[in-house]
Amino acid sequence: MNQPLLELQKLSLSYHTMEGEVAALSDITFSVHEGEFVAVVGPSGCGKSTILNLICGLLPIEKGDIYFRGERLAKGSPLNIGYMLQKDHLFEWRTVYKNILLGLEIRHMKTAEHLARADALIEQYGLSAFRDSRPSQLSGGMRQRAALIRTLVLDPDLMLLDEPFSALDYQTRLSVADDIGTILRSSGKTAVLVTHDISEAVSMADRVIVLTPRPARVQSIIPISLSLGDAPRTPMASRNAPDFKTYFNLIWKELHTDA
Ligand code: ADP
Ligand code: MG
């Protein structure tokens, strides 16, 4: 297989607190290929966000290595990363359009080319009617969509999603995950989603990395290959696949294996 886009090799990390050391990660190794959608599943507090923070350089690497396109990431990683969190961080004092342009403004990238790209994404992903609205006038799902477009405008090398749907109620979560998953697939972006929700992982990912409780180790890596027939690979279609439950049960068992 060709070189992975992202490789994590034997990453370990402890937090140093007043009370002592908290081991968060132990020997985390996995890779992500270009265009792939990888989900990382593990119980709350096991170290999922820590992994994303290491990838994006918010936390310094303590032990182990991260490679991007074969190059070892040193301090101050030069990666262009799109981060999606539980909170959409849209600013109420700006219109949806101005929110979408925020990243371009901060990076002094408001060129004709980038503005055209923003317009194309707004059009393509159905936000044209909300361009001049305030975030509070949008549904939770539309807000997440606007937040996603704001990061896609910057054409990130990699998308990191940290439990982005967990603040939404169950019904909304299903449709927003479907929406965001479909947009990410059509954009061809490589994505790493962390979640404690097994269904979300199986419905969205090409591969699922299962973590143990803290300190997180890789329990297993499970490729997802659902029988979808002619249906496009959307999260909603995946949930209806006959073998969805089989994957769900397999991952549930892996999560509850006493190591
Ligand atoms: P998850 O995202 O899987 O819920 P985290 O990666 O946020 O887990 O945290 C893993 C563990 O490390 C948790 O037990 C958490 O309490 C601890 N932790 C996270 N951040 C810090 C920090 N800045 N200082 C000390 N402990 C932390
Ligand atoms: Mg977390």
Side-chain angles (χ1 to χ4, degrees):
M1 201 181 250
N2 47 6
Q3 186 184 62
L5 184 72
L6 179 75
E7 274 180 279
L8 278 59
Q9 278 184 10
K10 294 180 169 291
L11 281 182
S12 297
L13 184 125
S14 297
Y15 289 105
H16 307 277
T17 68
M18 301 285 271
E19 288 77 38
E21 281 202 7
V22 180
L25 303 179
S26 170
D27 260 350
I28 298 286
T29 297
F30 67 85
S31 56
V32 181
H33 286 86
E34 185 118 43
E36 198 180 21
F37 198 122
V38 167
V40 178
V41 182
S44 289
C46 78
K48 302 182 295 299
S49 298
T50 303
I51 293 176
L52 295 191
N53 288 337
L54 281 169
I55 295 172
C56 75
L58 271 174
L59 275 174
I61 298 170
E62 199 177 69
K63 197 161 164 250
D65 291 295
I66 301 181
Y67 294 88
F68 190 79
R69 294 209 167 96
E71 275 188 42
R72 191 163 157 271
L73 294 190
K75 255 199 177 139
S77 111
L79 297 188
N80 177 7
I81 284 179
Y83 225 124
M84 217 180 151
L85 303 158
Q86 192 174 324
K87 274 197 69 166
D88 55 46
H89 296 287
L90 295 174
F91 292 115
E92 187 56 25
W93 43 274
R94 290 185 150 228
T95 62
V96 168
Y97 179 64
K98 289 272 175 124
N99 267 287
I100 286 171
L101 296 191
L102 188 67
L104 292 178
E105 272 174 34
I106 290 172
R107 296 186 195 195
H108 305 290
M109 281 166 54
K110 258 172 78 176
T111 60
E113 185 195 337
H114 284 103
L115 289 174
R117 185 179 159 75
D119 284 337
L121 287 168
I122 289 168
E123 173 78 29
Q124 184 180 0
Y125 296 125
L127 278 177
S128 301
F130 300 98
R131 249 178 116 92
D132 300 319
S133 308
R134 299 282 162 176
S136 62
Q137 293 172 283
L138 270 59
S139 65
M142 276 303 194
R143 291 180 66 119
Q144 283 294 34
R145 187 187 278 215
L148 175 62
I149 289 172
R150 181 174 60 187
T151 67
L152 289 181
V153 165
L154 299 167
D155 198 17
D157 298 316
L158 180 67
M159 283 295 305
L160 301 179
L161 299 98
D162 194 346
E163 314 219 23
F165 317 121
S166 53
L168 305 166
D169 67 75
Y170 183 69
Q171 297 298 332
T172 313
R173 199 160 84 216
L174 290 186
S175 75
V176 175
D178 191 56
D179 188 46
I180 300 295
T182 305
I183 292 176
L184 281 173
R185 271 196 195 274
S186 75
S187 73
K189 289 288 165 208
T190 310
V192 180
L193 164 80
V194 309
T195 179
H196 61 267
D197 184 325
I198 303 174
S199 301
E200 199 168 281
V202 176
S203 70
M204 296 185 82
D206 299 310
R207 260 180 327 132
V208 176
I209 319 282
V210 182
L211 301 179
T212 64
R214 188 180 69 78
R217 285 177 296 104
V218 175
Q219 169 73 30
S220 49
I221 298 183
I222 297 168
I224 307 289
S225 171
L226 294 162
S227 324
L228 288 166
D230 293 334
R233 174 83 163 90
T234 65
M236 214 55 105
S238 299
R239 282 176 191 268
N240 291 321
D243 37 2
F244 182 83
K245 197 90 214 284
T246 313
Y247 281 109
F248 181 97
N249 291 339
L250 173 62
I251 293 170
W252 196 89
K253 242 174 76 188
E254 289 295 322
L255 277 172
H256 296 83
T257 306
D258 287 320

